[in-house]
Amino acid sequence: MGVYNHEAFADHEQVVFCHDEKTGLKAIIAVHSTVLGPAAGGCRMWAYRDDDAALCDVLRLSKGMSYKNAMAGLNLGGGKAVIIGDAKTDKSEELFRCYGRFVDSLGGKYITAEDVGISVSDMEVVSQETPHVAGLNSGLAASGDPSPFTARGTFNGIRAAVKHRLGTESVRGLKVAVQGLGHVGWHLCKYLHEAGAVLFVADINDEVVQHAVKEFGATAVPCDEILFASVDVIAPCALGAVLNETSIPLLKTSIVAGAANNQLAKTSDGELLRTWDILYAPDYVINAGGIINVAAEIEGSYDRKWVDTKVAAIYDVLMDIFERADKEKGSTSDIADLIAQEKIDSAVKAVTKGKQDQIVA
């Protein structure tokens, strides 16, 4: 399948295929939009089943970043990168330095950061080859791993969904199933536990599951059963496409609100969730905490108060989406897409008008 007629292409501005025989690097950088600013989004390292799966993932993730940044009110466009490989066995300093050179070749059009399979230390290596990196432990305005901010924003989003659907201000006593205990999932469990939620957890790493059982009093659930647990909230925090025409009818929850990207296998699955009377918190809205923190770094003068205010506002943004979806009898995912595209289109019109005014002047 070609890039331009790929189902996930969605008018991307630029797609860069990166290959280096010496280091073994195989990567794709996708820049969806720079209308609102430089395209910002993390780099994911994953052993994809084939090249098309990697391309599909990076295109969907990149567009999601455009919408995420627009909904969060950031002066950033949307981009994403994937490195094809096993994060446990294929990493090397040379590979990440090579990736950094590819990022640098884009001249700041794309700003990279951590995502699944990538650590802060990996990005520190990338930063030796390019300044267009965020989520670092050192350097101007560095603030470290953005995962805790993603988790806190997701927690705020769960509170909004619980308020809208269940009419309660607190998650205390509610059953929440967390799928995936990576950096974000773990921190989310911490916030939920401290707020009194009853946790059910699953991860492919049994050691981290047992740690959650001990640390949070969580109940361990097999990975292939966690989505279908009978709970108040399902929080997908692993990989995407877990919500589809097969899984949705089997859900035993009234709310899906988690940090994973691209949770819907297809756009139409948002409407399917509405048909089954399940409230869905659009992923790129609820999980925006990390990119908000990254945006503060990119500005060059890290303002923690600004970050905290923006992350807290995820609650209000989701409440607005839920209420508009109810009023217009549409899916929350469609409403979020509509609002995000409106913001981007408005920016395009403003730029076009500015250029026309310059010509007239």
Side-chain angles (χ1 to χ4, degrees):
M1 181 183 294
V3 175
Y4 296 110
N5 62 353
H6 196 287
E7 61 182 0
F9 181 66
D11 296 322
H12 272 70
E13 292 180 11
Q14 189 172 7
V15 181
V16 181
F17 293 85
C18 314
H19 177 245
D20 181 72
E21 185 175 358
K22 182 178 179 181
T23 63
L25 177 71
K26 293 182 178 180
I28 308 172
I29 300 172
V31 175
H32 178 255
S33 172
T34 56
V35 170
L36 296 176
C43 174
R44 169 174 297 188
M45 188 169 188
W46 193 256
Y48 293 95
R49 68 176 183 272
D50 55 38
D51 294 348
D52 187 65
L55 176 61
C56 185
D57 199 30
V58 75
L59 291 176
R60 294 191 70 201
L61 289 166
S62 178
K63 179 182 177 182
M65 287 306 304
S66 288
Y67 282 9
K68 180 186 297 190
N69 293 335
M71 291 298 287
L74 305 177
N75 296 321
L76 295 171
K80 207 78 174 183
V82 297
I83 295 176
I84 302 171
D86 189 329
K88 294 180 180 179
T89 60
D90 296 338
K91 289 184 178 182
S92 70
E93 179 178 348
E94 293 76 15
L95 182 141
F96 284 114
R97 292 190 71 136
C98 183
Y99 168 69
R101 290 192 289 272
F102 276 109
V103 171
D104 197 61
S105 71
L106 297 177
K109 191 173 185 179
Y110 168 65
I111 300 170
T112 194
E114 301 86 354
D115 202 299
V116 175
I118 300 292
S119 67
V120 175
S121 60
D122 296 330
M123 283 295 115
E124 293 279 1
V125 175
V126 174
S127 71
Q128 294 179 46
E129 299 291 342
T130 180
H132 308 300
V133 186
L136 303 176
N137 282 328
S138 59
L140 181 65
S143 64
D145 185 2
S147 297
F149 297 92
T150 304
R152 184 145 54 87
T154 302
F155 175 68
N156 291 337
I158 289 174
R159 288 176 46 243
V162 164
K163 171 64 175 177
H164 185 79
R165 174 50 59 91
L166 304 180
T168 177
E169 296 285 350
S170 172
V171 299
R172 183 168 297 279
L174 296 183
K175 297 178 180 179
V176 182
V178 180
Q179 179 198 42
L181 297 175
H183 289 186
V184 175
W186 181 267
H187 285 291
L188 177 60
C189 284
K190 184 175 183 291
Y191 286 122
L192 289 165
H193 174 67
E194 291 173 350
V198 180
L199 293 174
F200 297 79
V201 299
D203 192 274
I204 57 175
N205 184 339
D206 187 62
E207 185 177 340
V208 74
V209 170
Q210 294 308 314
H211 189 191
V213 170
K214 181 178 180 180
E215 188 80 10
F216 308 126
T219 298
V221 179
C223 288
D224 59 355
E225 297 179 14
I226 189 71
L227 278 180
F228 313 112
S230 182
V231 294
D232 298 294
V233 181
I234 294 288
C237 295
L239 294 179
V242 295
L243 302 174
N244 51 58
E245 59 185 10
T246 300
S247 65
I248 291 172
L250 301 177
L251 297 179
K252 302 181 184 69
T253 186
S254 57
I255 297 170
V256 175
N261 286 309
N262 293 340
Q263 293 171 36
L264 304 179
K266 297 186 295 186
T267 302
S268 58
D269 291 323
E271 180 61 27
L272 185 58
L273 283 165
R274 189 177 81 89
T275 300
W276 283 89
D277 197 29
I278 297 171
L279 179 64
Y280 173 61
D283 48 38
Y284 60 76
V285 180
I286 194 173
N287 68 12
I291 193 63
I292 289 170
N293 188 66
V294 165
E297 287 191 24
I298 293 171
E299 289 293 327
S301 178
Y302 186 77
D303 184 343
R304 177 60 184 268
K305 184 177 180 181
W306 179 87
V307 173
D308 289 342
T309 300
K310 280 280 191 182
V311 173
I314 289 173
Y315 179 101
D316 300 309
V317 174
L318 281 169
M319 289 298 282
D320 289 342
I321 291 171
F322 297 153
E323 290 166 6
R324 181 168 168 178
D326 285 349
K327 182 179 180 180
E328 299 182 15
K329 294 181 170 44
S331 71
T332 54
S333 56
D334 285 345
I335 294 299
D337 286 355
L338 181 63
I339 296 173
Q341 194 59 55
E342 287 172 351
K343 290 178 179 288
I344 294 171
D345 291 344
S346 178
V348 171
K349 291 178 181 177
V351 170
T352 301
K353 184 177 185 302
K355 290 180 178 178
Q356 290 175 338
D357 289 344
Q358 286 180 342
I359 293 173
V360 172

